[in-house]
Amino acid sequence: MRKFFMYFFAVTVIAVIFAVPCTATEPADFEEFETEVFFRRVKEVELPIVMYHLVTEKPKYIGKYGISPAELEADLKFLKENKYNTVVMQDLIDFVNSGKQLPDNPVMLTFDDGNASDYHILLSLLQEYDMKAVLAVLGSASDKCTADAEKNPKAKYPNLTWPQIIELHESGHAEIQSHSYDMHKAPLGSSNKRGEDPGAYHARLLSDLQKFQDACATHLNYVPTTFVYPLGAMGKNSREVLEELGMVASISCQEGLNVIRQGDKDCLFKLLRTNRPSGRSIGDVLKSINVAK
């Protein structure tokens, strides 16, 4: 009889234990785990940005701002073999504003001026190596080449047409950003004219950049988030215009290594980048950026 009561007691205790709901402790355990994961998240990332312009087979254009397709492919191959991961501006914006993590060893590749080589040469290489790049497009040049191509579609044109920009945008390998509509003119670029009234400069810059924003909205159903300063010329108070247009970032031509921080919206403006001339590998460029930090 005693054994029976002991057995009954044991069964009852076990039943009670399993009958007690565990919901009271699970949320606390879950929250503790999530908090630990949150504090282990990377909140600051070093980012090198490499600046390209023309990719061409023509020797006369190869130099400080022009490289050959073979050099470009060697760069992408180096990045792949050394486990770099290409990112675009939206990746940085999501990291800063939403805490979305960036991949390990991030690097950004930018291509200025909207050259036709971005479509004829760059796109296929980005697809082959599964990489992304930021293309700073000049609106006036693309409008002109588009109009010319409609009249003579078999001819070759120096800048991207809007159909080509659309294809690049939809490829998932190219992010389109603003290089102004028509401010790529030496020596001022998008900076202030000497003695120019601040209000006049504000209106002039706003009008030009708005024209490119509107063109992108029409052709791409997308509005650029970033201004890439033409010639690297940054006008005083230009950021006010960018923010008025809804832009949240800008890229300069000043060299150095960027530090991107979660919650720091200022770090997205005047981003630094380093030119990649012909005859100098991307490995050397990246090394120089890290040495100079």
Side-chain angles (χ1 to χ4, degrees):
M1 180 65 70
R2 184 178 179 183
K3 288 182 179 180
F4 172 80
F5 280 112
M6 289 179 66
Y7 173 80
F8 178 81
F9 177 77
V11 171
T12 303
V13 170
I14 292 172
V16 169
I17 291 173
F18 280 98
V20 174
C22 61
T23 54
T25 58
E26 281 187 342
D29 294 340
F30 180 74
E31 290 172 4
E32 181 181 352
F33 174 74
E34 284 296 286
T35 301
E36 182 183 355
V37 170
F38 175 78
F39 282 109
R40 276 192 279 159
R41 292 169 71 100
V42 176
K43 297 183 181 179
E44 182 176 290
V45 174
E46 292 182 342
L47 176 75
I49 301 179
V50 183
M51 177 173 63
Y52 297 84
H53 288 79
L54 181 65
V55 183
T56 178
E57 295 277 15
K58 297 180 179 179
K60 68 178 180 177
Y61 295 123
I62 294 177
K64 184 175 181 180
Y65 297 114
I67 64 171
S68 69
E71 288 179 305
L72 176 58
E73 183 166 12
D75 287 359
L76 301 186
K77 186 176 181 181
F78 174 89
L79 295 176
K80 180 71 73 176
E81 291 177 346
N82 288 275
K83 302 187 184 306
Y84 281 92
N85 293 289
T86 53
V87 296
V88 294
M89 286 306 304
Q90 192 58 51
D91 296 319
L92 303 192
I93 294 166
D94 290 342
F95 175 77
V96 170
N97 295 334
S98 305
K100 184 177 179 181
Q101 293 294 284
L102 291 170
D104 294 335
N105 299 320
V107 63
M108 182 178 291
L109 311 179
T110 66
F111 290 77
D112 282 12
D113 305 334
N115 292 301
S117 60
D118 293 348
Y119 177 80
H120 295 294
I121 300 173
L122 174 62
L123 178 57
S124 61
L125 288 173
L126 291 175
Q127 291 171 329
E128 180 180 348
Y129 287 89
D130 192 22
M131 294 184 177
K132 300 183 288 186
V134 175
L135 309 187
V137 175
L138 189 62
S140 60
S142 290
D143 275 355
K144 182 180 186 306
C145 288
T146 300
D148 291 344
E150 289 173 352
K151 298 174 184 177
N152 186 3
K154 293 184 179 181
K156 293 183 179 180
Y157 300 96
N159 291 90
L160 295 168
T161 64
W162 280 106
Q164 291 170 339
I165 295 171
I166 291 170
E167 189 172 338
L168 284 159
H169 173 67
E170 293 179 347
S171 73
H173 293 277
E175 181 186 69
I176 308 301
Q177 297 296 356
S178 174
H179 207 34
S180 81
Y181 180 77
D182 192 26
M183 291 189 133
H184 200 289
K185 299 173 181 178
L188 284 173
S190 57
S191 64
N192 313 63
K193 294 178 181 177
R194 192 171 194 178
E196 185 175 19
D197 177 78
Y201 170 68
H202 184 101
R204 181 169 63 86
L205 183 61
L206 180 66
S207 175
D208 181 278
L209 300 192
Q210 184 67 69
K211 192 170 183 179
F212 184 74
Q213 298 294 85
D214 291 343
C216 286
T218 298
H219 292 288
L220 308 178
N221 194 30
Y222 155 83
V223 177
T225 60
T226 303
F227 184 50
V228 182
Y229 284 95
L231 310 176
M234 296 180 285
K236 187 176 181 181
N237 301 323
S238 59
R239 178 171 168 177
E240 294 177 4
V241 176
L242 305 187
E243 293 181 326
E244 187 173 336
L245 290 168
M247 291 187 179
V248 295
S250 64
I251 300 177
S252 74
C253 288
Q254 296 177 349
E255 297 191 352
L257 183 67
N258 299 284
V259 179
I260 311 300
R261 303 179 184 88
Q262 285 189 18
D264 180 8
K265 296 183 179 181
D266 289 339
C267 75
L268 291 173
F269 285 91
K270 298 181 181 179
L271 290 168
L272 308 173
R273 57 183 178 157
T274 302
N275 184 54
R276 193 289 198 209
S278 179
R280 187 185 185 194
S281 71
I282 194 173
D284 288 339
V285 171
L286 293 172
K287 183 178 179 180
S288 71
I289 295 173
N290 287 319
V291 167
K293 68 180 179 180

